[in-house]
Amino acid sequence: MIPFLDLKSINQQYRAELIEACTQVIDSGWYITGQYLEQFEQNFAAYCGSQYAIGVANGLDALILTLRAWKELGKLQAGDEVLVPSNTYIASILAISANDLVPVLVEPDPSQFNLDPNKIEAAITAKTKVILPVHLYGQLANMPEIMRIAKKHQLLVLEDAAQAHGAQIQGKKAGVWGDAAGFSFYPGKNLGALGDAGAITTNDVELATMLRALRNYGSHEKYKNLVQGVNSRLDEIQAAMLDVKLKHLDNEILQRRAIADIYLTQINNPLLQLPLQNVNAHDYTQHVWHLFVIQTQNRQALQQYLADHGVQTLIHYPIPPHQQPAYQQWNHLSFPISEQLHAQVLSLPMGPTLNKQDAEKIAQLCNAFRA
Ligand SMILES: *Cc1c(COP(=O)(O)O)cnc(C)c1O
């Protein structure tokens, strides 16, 4: 069986380094908000090119707390509207509703899976305050264009960068385009902890200070509470694990790109539509291939056929947010692009330890598939 993602083999590459880092944390006698978190925050901010990184408990909290911080800072209030892609993972939307803000779903460009800038302006109302682009599957949304629209309408921009650590356009990485960005270090993400973890990047010192308070009971100074915060801290042990893995991230991205290149150059079955990289002649772009997502009208048959030949695939995601029971108020609405994507997407195995022969075998199997 070729697994969809082999997390064990990824982490085993760094086993000795991870154990050494773990031992250091154990022996330090300090397990929450200490030197390992601080070091990882500095290193991750430097990697992204941002002024600050603030570690939190997970990616969802990174998004929730950023919107919450903007409320505390008087930049947002309950009822304000946030534009978000209609095909995103549910977490982007949960972060909006958790803050009593109103998610406004905007259809993606189906060839890129990301927010279609041409559809953003039509969705802006007097209540719109934030654009929340999601860099889905590892490719940046069209940030130059989204930032132009945001500036024109004086909107805040919160990037959901949970799937795009290291992805770039014009040499500028995920996490430094918007006013802030939320990252997830869930184990299966491109930069994954050995448990839950997340972070926010920003260049705004006021926001960074508020976030540091919010994640720690609203306390900026011990036993003094500025705001009604939560407990959402990134543990020392996970920070130490992440610091080890951050050093290898660029190399892992290259390994993912090598697999993507095999799929892109070798799969040529007209029943399958391959993902497009953002093709803009003079922009240097880097897709980090969190997922390799094809589209096909024969998804169920293809998935079964690949499974029968020992290849595990997954669907990201089978049900669009507006059809989820959790968002009943949208169940009667129609988002045709998103609905078609949810019916046709299939993710092929992708990861830094997937070997080239297996990727070639998968490409050949795809080519031999008949509806
Ligand atoms: C994984 C993910 C999140 C949430 O991250 P967690 O760490 O699992 O809370 C948010 N948005 C997107 C697009 C994701 O893929």
Side-chain angles (χ1 to χ4, degrees):
M1 184 72 172
I2 303 175
F4 176 73
L5 176 68
D6 187 354
L7 274 183
K8 184 164 142 181
S9 75
I10 293 172
N11 288 322
Q12 274 180 338
Q13 301 176 98
Y14 319 124
R15 198 167 182 276
E17 278 179 274
L18 291 169
I19 289 172
E20 171 58 25
C22 200
T23 305
Q24 283 178 14
V25 177
I26 293 169
D27 292 348
S28 77
W30 189 278
Y31 307 114
I32 302 252
T33 52
Q35 57 170 320
Y36 292 94
L37 174 61
E38 209 165 292
Q39 194 170 26
F40 173 67
E41 287 178 336
Q42 279 176 16
N43 290 339
F44 189 65
Y47 177 82
C48 296
S50 72
Q51 206 96 44
Y52 310 101
I54 302 96
V56 292
N58 55 66
L60 175 58
D61 276 1
L63 299 170
I64 290 180
L65 293 178
T66 304
L67 294 170
R68 173 76 190 282
W70 281 335
K71 285 175 82 180
E72 296 290 353
L73 293 168
K75 296 186 174 183
L76 292 180
Q77 56 186 42
D80 285 344
E81 293 175 358
V82 180
L83 307 185
V84 64
S86 56
N87 64 323
T88 186
Y89 179 58
I90 198 76
S92 332
I93 297 172
L94 292 174
I96 302 168
S97 20
N99 277 291
D100 298 317
L101 300 164
V102 180
V104 174
L105 304 180
V106 178
E107 289 264 70
D109 170 348
S111 70
Q112 314 244 334
F113 306 111
N114 280 329
L115 209 49
D116 184 346
N118 295 318
K119 299 205 171 81
I120 292 176
E121 282 193 298
I124 294 175
T125 73
K127 288 202 150 181
T128 309
K129 291 285 151 53
V130 183
I131 307 177
L132 201 165
V134 182
H135 309 314
L136 209 62
Y137 308 150
Q139 176 162 248
L140 288 192
N142 186 342
M143 292 312 292
E145 190 55 18
I146 289 171
M147 292 315 295
R148 189 189 66 73
I149 296 168
K151 285 214 170 67
K152 182 173 155 198
H153 297 272
Q154 295 184 304
L155 305 176
L156 292 163
V157 175
L158 170 56
E159 300 169 62
D160 182 340
Q163 301 189 1
H165 322 72
Q168 310 179 20
I169 295 182
Q170 299 164 356
K172 208 170 143 181
K173 285 185 181 142
V176 293
W177 284 92
D179 298 281
F183 286 88
S184 165
F185 307 120
Y186 177 81
K189 299 289 158 80
N190 281 21
L191 178 58
L194 275 66
D196 271 317
I200 300 103
T201 55
T202 184
N203 289 332
D204 179 347
V205 65
E206 217 188 3
L207 176 65
T209 306
M210 180 58 78
L211 283 165
R212 284 184 205 286
L214 275 173
R215 73 172 174 192
N216 191 31
Y217 313 124
S219 174
H220 64 302
E221 211 180 296
K222 207 166 189 186
Y223 305 128
K224 282 193 180 172
N225 301 86
L226 274 181
V227 289
Q228 296 171 20
V230 299
N231 178 346
S232 180
R233 298 175 300 221
L234 200 174
D235 297 340
E236 288 287 274
I237 212 144
Q238 293 305 342
M241 301 296 97
L242 285 165
D243 228 12
V244 167
K245 293 190 71 183
L246 180 60
K247 295 191 199 90
H248 302 285
L249 178 59
D250 278 340
N251 189 45
E252 288 197 359
I253 291 171
L254 291 177
Q255 291 168 324
R256 288 174 181 272
R257 297 187 96 185
I259 299 299
D261 283 341
I262 290 171
Y263 289 154
L264 289 169
T265 54
Q266 298 189 13
I267 298 176
N268 56 20
N269 185 334
L271 295 173
L272 278 60
Q273 190 184 326
L274 296 173
L276 275 188
Q277 298 198 58
N278 199 350
V279 273
N280 187 336
H282 46 269
D283 288 354
Y284 171 70
T285 69
Q286 177 167 299
H287 194 319
V288 295
W289 300 107
H290 173 56
L291 297 171
F292 190 95
V293 178
I294 61 157
Q295 296 175 61
T296 175
Q297 290 178 19
N298 310 97
R299 180 171 69 188
Q300 207 183 349
L302 177 62
Q303 188 169 36
Q304 186 60 52
Y305 160 89
L306 289 171
D308 291 344
H309 289 83
V311 176
Q312 185 191 15
T313 57
L314 293 177
I315 296 170
H316 299 91
Y317 301 91
I319 305 171
H322 71 277
Q323 292 178 344
Q324 296 285 358
Y327 287 100
Q328 254 177 38
Q329 68 271 33
W330 296 334
N331 287 176
H332 68 287
L333 298 177
S334 153
F335 291 91
I337 296 175
S338 182
E339 282 159 27
Q340 180 175 326
L341 286 173
H342 285 81
Q344 299 195 353
V345 291
L346 185 69
S347 308
L348 299 182
M350 169 55 77
T353 58
L354 182 63
N355 72 52
K356 290 186 177 165
Q357 292 86 321
D358 282 345
E360 282 165 3
K361 182 183 157 198
I362 293 165
Q364 284 159 17
L365 282 168
C366 285
N367 289 341
F369 172 73
R370 297 289 174 270

Short mmCIF file of all heavy atoms in Angstrom, two decimals, residues 96 173 247 289 314:
data_model
loop_
_atom_site.label_atom_id
_atom_site.label_comp_id
_atom_site.label_asym_id
_atom_site.label_seq_id
_atom_site.Cartn_x
_atom_site.Cartn_y
_atom_site.Cartn_z
N ILE A 96 -14.48 32.90 12.13
CA ILE A 96 -15.28 34.11 11.93
C ILE A 96 -16.52 34.05 12.81
O ILE A 96 -16.80 34.97 13.59
CB ILE A 96 -15.67 34.25 10.44
CG1 ILE A 96 -14.40 34.30 9.56
CG2 ILE A 96 -16.54 35.48 10.21
CD1 ILE A 96 -14.65 34.15 8.08
N LYS A 173 6.77 35.60 1.15
CA LYS A 173 6.15 34.37 1.62
C LYS A 173 4.76 34.54 2.24
O LYS A 173 4.38 35.65 2.64
CB LYS A 173 7.04 33.73 2.70
CG LYS A 173 8.27 33.06 2.12
CD LYS A 173 9.05 32.32 3.20
CE LYS A 173 10.29 31.68 2.58
NZ LYS A 173 11.45 31.75 3.45
N LYS A 247 14.13 23.71 10.41
CA LYS A 247 15.42 23.70 9.69
C LYS A 247 15.35 22.84 8.43
O LYS A 247 16.13 23.02 7.50
CB LYS A 247 16.52 23.11 10.59
CG LYS A 247 16.82 23.95 11.81
CD LYS A 247 18.11 23.43 12.49
CE LYS A 247 18.21 23.91 13.92
NZ LYS A 247 17.59 22.99 14.89
N TRP A 289 2.94 22.60 -2.36
CA TRP A 289 2.35 21.27 -2.52
C TRP A 289 2.03 20.59 -1.20
O TRP A 289 2.45 19.46 -0.96
CB TRP A 289 3.26 20.37 -3.40
CG TRP A 289 3.45 20.94 -4.77
CD1 TRP A 289 4.59 21.53 -5.26
CD2 TRP A 289 2.46 21.03 -5.81
NE1 TRP A 289 4.37 21.98 -6.54
CE2 TRP A 289 3.07 21.68 -6.91
CE3 TRP A 289 1.13 20.63 -5.92
CZ2 TRP A 289 2.39 21.94 -8.09
CZ3 TRP A 289 0.45 20.89 -7.10
CH2 TRP A 289 1.09 21.54 -8.17
N LEU A 314 -7.23 10.71 -0.75
CA LEU A 314 -8.21 11.35 0.15
C LEU A 314 -8.94 12.46 -0.60
O LEU A 314 -8.50 12.88 -1.68
CB LEU A 314 -7.51 11.93 1.38
CG LEU A 314 -6.86 10.95 2.37
CD1 LEU A 314 -6.16 11.72 3.48
CD2 LEU A 314 -7.87 9.97 2.95
#
